[in-house]
């Protein structure tokens, strides 16, 4: 939507997700990048890829970078929750840094809504990497014009909070530790949910939910299973069945696992293994 409103007309999707095996479809992804017109702008979502909660591995990122360099594609990274994906800020930033090391020019849009808890302020940043200062000066002038036309003088409260934390060593260390603790809790909840489902004897494998990262899990429910959970059990999901794992706790874990198991058992014929 953002690109279309900016005047781009030729907008295409690349194949990213293997819905049968519930994993990144790296070969199809690379094929689509190879077949895309040269000098395409490619949006790359990292730190808990939306909506599947599964990013490529470092080895897969290297393959993506190789194809994009060969085709002269321009990377536009979108980082949604750095630090909350793996618990490690540097690990979550690795794909962007790898592309910079490979001498790509790129844009990196980053949201601070999730990892700073600033949803109402919608705080973020745009990092621009260029090979020469002259290009950066020209880009900056265009950005200033776009900002002036879009909001001119937006509220700065959220941005000041982020700047204060990032520029104070003690605050930064505390924030980084908080991110690590939250990420570990999310990982533990995924493990507990998987084990609970195994205990119930669920008909499908749930290994994929512990390979997923960040705030969400993408279970791979079918439409009928989503419908069962919402109408029969009043567990309300998005239309693509994402679950915010942070909403699961010791009080509701068993109930949610039982409902998921019932949903799968009620529709075994369209179960996606």
């Amino acid at each position: 939507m953002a690109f279309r409103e900016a005047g781009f007309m030729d907008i295409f999707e690349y194949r990213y997700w293997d819905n049968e095996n519930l994993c990144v479809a790296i070969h199809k992804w690379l094929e689509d990048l190879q077949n895309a017109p040269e000098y395409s702008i490619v949006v790359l979502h990292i730190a808990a890829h939306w909506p599947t909660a599964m990013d490529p591995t470092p080895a897969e990122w290297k393959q993506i970078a190789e194809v994009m360099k060969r085709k002269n594609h321009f990377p536009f990274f979108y980082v949604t929750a750095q630090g909350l994906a793996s618990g490690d800020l540097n690990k979550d930033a690795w794909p962007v840094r790898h592309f910079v090391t490979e001498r790509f020019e790129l844009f990196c849009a980053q949201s601070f809504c999730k990892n700073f808890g600033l949803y109402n302020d919608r705080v973020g940043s745009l990092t621009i990497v260029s090979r020469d200062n002259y290009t950066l000066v020209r880009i900056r002038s265009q950005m200033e014009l776009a900002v002036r036309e879009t909001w001119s003088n937006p509220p700065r409260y959220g941005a000041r909070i982020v700047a204060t934390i990032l520029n104070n060593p003690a605050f930064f260390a505390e924030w980084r530790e908080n991110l690590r603790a939250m990420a570990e809790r999310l990982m533990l909840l995924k493990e507990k949910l998987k084990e609970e489902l195994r205990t119930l004897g669920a008909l499908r494998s749930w290994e994929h939910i512990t390979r997923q990262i960040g705030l969400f899990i993408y279970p791979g429910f079918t439409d009928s299973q989503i419908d069962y959970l919402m109408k029969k059990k009043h567990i309300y999901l998005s239309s693509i069945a994402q679950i915010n794992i942070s909403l699961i706790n010791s009080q509701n874990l068993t109930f949610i696992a039982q409902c998921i198991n019932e949903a799968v058992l009620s529709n075994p014929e369209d179960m996606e293994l």
Side-chain angles (χ1 to χ4, degrees):
M1 182 64 71
F3 283 92
R4 187 170 288 107
E5 291 182 353
F8 289 88
M9 302 304 296
D10 296 328
I11 299 176
F12 304 97
E13 295 180 353
Y14 56 78
R15 291 171 294 174
Y16 163 81
W17 185 245
D18 182 340
N19 205 46
E20 181 178 350
N21 297 301
L22 299 173
C23 63
V24 174
I26 186 62
H27 297 297
K28 293 180 180 178
W29 190 349
L30 294 174
E31 182 181 347
D32 288 346
L33 290 177
Q34 179 63 40
N35 293 332
E38 279 198 303
Y39 301 101
S40 293
I41 300 171
V42 181
V43 178
L44 300 167
H45 199 156
I46 67 172
H49 190 286
W50 183 270
T52 62
M54 190 175 289
D55 286 3
T57 64
E60 290 169 341
W61 277 120
K62 289 180 180 180
Q63 295 179 68
I64 292 168
E66 289 173 5
V67 174
M68 290 185 63
K69 180 181 287 187
R70 187 163 61 245
K71 296 288 295 197
N72 296 305
H73 294 330
F74 184 87
F76 194 131
F77 283 98
Y78 178 38
V79 187
T80 54
Q82 184 183 357
L84 279 178
S86 68
D88 185 329
L89 289 168
N90 291 321
K91 184 177 180 179
D92 291 350
W94 186 88
V96 179
R97 292 173 179 169
H98 175 70
F99 273 69
V100 173
T101 301
E102 292 295 310
R103 296 190 54 76
F104 277 89
E105 294 185 303
L106 58 84
F107 282 4
C108 178
Q110 182 166 12
S111 170
F112 299 131
C113 296
K114 294 184 177 69
N115 53 8
F116 279 92
L118 294 170
Y119 285 92
N120 289 339
D121 293 275
R122 309 305 295 178
V123 184
S125 67
L126 177 65
T127 301
I128 299 167
V129 177
S130 176
R131 292 177 185 166
D132 63 86
N133 289 332
Y134 179 61
T135 300
L136 279 177
V137 170
R138 289 188 295 169
I139 293 173
R140 181 184 177 91
S141 69
Q142 294 301 307
M143 291 297 175
E144 289 174 346
L145 289 173
V147 166
R148 176 69 65 178
E149 293 178 356
T150 304
W151 55 68
S152 183
N153 190 25
R156 299 181 63 187
Y157 310 118
R160 285 178 175 173
I161 291 172
V162 172
T164 299
I165 293 172
L166 294 182
N167 289 293
N168 182 299
F171 291 164
F172 179 76
E174 181 180 356
W175 172 68
R176 184 172 56 190
E177 180 60 24
N178 288 339
L179 285 175
R180 184 195 61 78
M182 286 189 287
E184 287 182 354
R185 175 182 177 272
L186 297 174
M187 295 174 194
L188 180 60
L189 283 170
K190 292 173 186 177
E191 287 285 352
K192 287 184 175 180
L193 179 60
K194 181 181 73 174
E195 291 306 312
E196 193 75 28
L197 288 165
R198 279 181 173 176
T199 301
L200 292 170
L203 295 177
R204 60 184 297 178
S205 170
W206 297 98
E207 291 294 331
H208 60 286
I209 65 175
T210 51
R211 295 197 304 268
Q212 295 170 359
I213 56 178
L215 284 166
F216 300 94
I217 59 173
Y218 188 69
F221 294 145
T222 62
D223 290 341
S224 54
Q225 290 164 359
I226 296 171
D227 190 64
Y228 181 92
L229 286 168
M230 294 180 67
K231 293 183 177 179
K232 300 291 186 181
K233 295 298 179 179
H234 299 284
I235 294 180
Y236 300 101
L237 313 172
S238 66
S239 59
I240 56 174
Q242 271 188 321
I243 296 176
N244 188 333
I245 197 70
S246 66
L247 299 177
I248 298 178
N249 53 51
S250 57
Q251 279 76 39
N252 61 21
L253 174 66
T254 300
F255 172 74
I256 290 172
Q258 289 172 346
C259 293
I260 291 174
N261 188 49
E262 289 178 20
V264 173
L265 289 172
S266 67
N267 299 280
E269 69 284 351
D270 58 5
M271 182 173 60
E272 295 176 11
L273 296 172

